[in-house]
Amino acid sequence: MTDITYRGRFAPSPTGPLHFGSLIAATASYLEARSQGGEWWLRIEDIDPPREVAGASDAILRTLDAFGFEWDGPVTYQSQRHGYYADALAQLRQAGLAYPCACSRKDIAQASPSGLYPGTCRNGLAPHQTPRAWRLRVPEEIIEFVDKIQGPQRCDPVTEAGDFVLLRADGYVAYQLATGFDDAEQGMTEVVRGADLLDSTPRQRLIQALLGLPSPGYAHHPVAVTAKGEKLSKQTFAPALNQDQASPLLYAALQFLGQAVPPELQHGALPELWAWARENWKLALIPQIHQEVIEIFP
Ligand code: GLU
């Protein structure tokens, strides 16, 4: 048995097919894991049924396979881990670190123009109030970490995160709890993902610390944006990855990630491109700044 010194992951939400933005996150996390001789896991983050698209999970796995990604171990699904999240929430409740909240979105918007939860229910609910969500009682403690791409980060959770939601009013677990918990419980040593999630990291590290779990290291790569500066996503009509164009798309993802990929590989065979990428991948070449991508869809 080998000791695992590096375990990374790609954690897509099945809200639609993978697009070029997803390919960047998959590629960066995969190559960083492989370049460290580490494992790369897939975790389907299917904890938001209202946003889930039927068949998307399977389509994501098929696309990753067609693009030549090879994952370790069985694919995990957050929808099968609700028992863990309930236990984690119970642990936080017992420690007095989680409390029920009766506020509606409208209540919060009226009380707090910044959108930060104003702490209305921190000291308990009145007898006539019904709990809707559960929130974390955020401690007065600065969270610092060094992101491997974005550099030193510092967050005051009281003024920057507020008492955020752990269990949503509709009964579903919140992304911060599920993902913060899973990354630690599944033994991830490194999380490589888009910088659009950089402000989630202090929240997830806080959850890990309060649950007595280890925190992974983090590297947040820049995200691909449209000409209007919006992140590529289903909402901005990013096209689904076309498997017939796997080499040029992977080539574009590597270029986006700052890698000096030889132009002759753009239209070559996929295994050659992967062989080059595994051999030559350097996290240090990834730029910090988001980049516009408009011309790269073959
Ligand atoms: N499931 C999240 C998404 O698809 C990503 C979570 C993460 O990488 O932490 O946006």
Side-chain angles (χ1 to χ4, degrees), residues 226-242:
T226 66
K228 283 194 204 144
E230 296 161 331
K231 186 180 84 121
L232 286 194
S233 68
K234 214 174 57 164
Q235 288 72 30
T236 54
F237 308 107
L241 290 176
N242 177 355

Side-chain angles (χ1 to χ4, degrees), residues 9-15 22 25 43-46 51 78 175 179-180 183 191-194 196-197 200 204 218 220 231:
R9 63 19 164 221
F10 176 55
S13 302
T15 51
S22 338
R43 185 173 69 227
I44 302 290
E45 302 211 318
D46 51 352
R51 289 185 59 224
Q78 288 189 324
Y175 159 69
T179 294
D183 283 335
V191 169
V192 179
R193 62 183 176 191
D196 53 316
L197 294 168
S200 289
Q204 293 172 7
Y218 288 85
H220 289 84
K231 186 180 84 121

Side-chain angles (χ1 to χ4, degrees), residues 1-8 37-39 41 72 186-189:
M1 239 186 74
T2 45
D3 273 345
I4 293 304
T5 51
Y6 185 109
R7 181 177 290 159
E39 293 184 347
W41 286 29
D72 295 292
Q186 295 182 325
M188 298 304 154
T189 59

Side-chain angles (χ1 to χ4, degrees), residues 42-179:
L42 277 186
R43 185 173 69 227
I44 302 290
E45 302 211 318
D46 51 352
I47 40 161
D48 196 352
R51 289 185 59 224
E52 190 165 337
V53 169
S57 292
D58 288 346
I60 287 172
L61 299 183
R62 279 198 306 273
T63 303
L64 289 171
D65 187 46
F67 272 73
F69 290 92
E70 293 169 347
W71 51 91
D72 295 292
V75 177
T76 61
Y77 292 82
Q78 288 189 324
S79 59
Q80 292 168 11
R81 294 174 58 81
H82 284 299
Y84 282 111
Y85 311 139
D87 288 351
L89 182 62
Q91 191 182 330
L92 294 171
R93 281 171 66 169
Q94 274 151 22
L97 292 165
Y99 65 87
C101 171
C103 299
S104 65
R105 269 173 214 271
K106 204 169 138 207
D107 296 332
I108 298 168
Q110 277 168 0
S112 162
S114 71
L116 217 61
Y117 184 65
T120 320
C121 299
R122 240 188 179 223
N123 298 317
L125 303 183
H128 67 275
Q129 287 182 306
T130 319
R132 291 166 48 86
W134 281 80
R135 291 182 181 274
L136 184 72
R137 190 182 302 280
V138 162
E140 286 179 30
E141 162 192 325
I142 303 296
I143 296 168
E144 289 182 291
F145 64 98
V146 179
D147 186 89
K148 293 209 168 73
I149 298 169
Q150 305 296 331
Q153 306 292 314
R154 186 177 194 281
C155 169
D156 177 352
V158 173
T159 57
E160 292 171 60
D163 286 353
F164 58 89
V165 170
L166 299 169
L167 188 70
R168 300 173 1 180
D170 58 11
Y172 295 117
V173 63
Y175 159 69
Q176 306 295 357
L177 175 58
T179 294

Side-chain angles (χ1 to χ4, degrees), residues 10 18-28 67 69 241 246 249-250 253:
F10 176 55
L18 295 181
H19 50 75
F20 186 68
S22 338
L23 180 63
I24 291 168
T27 303
F67 272 73
F69 290 92
L241 290 176
L249 282 163
L250 178 61

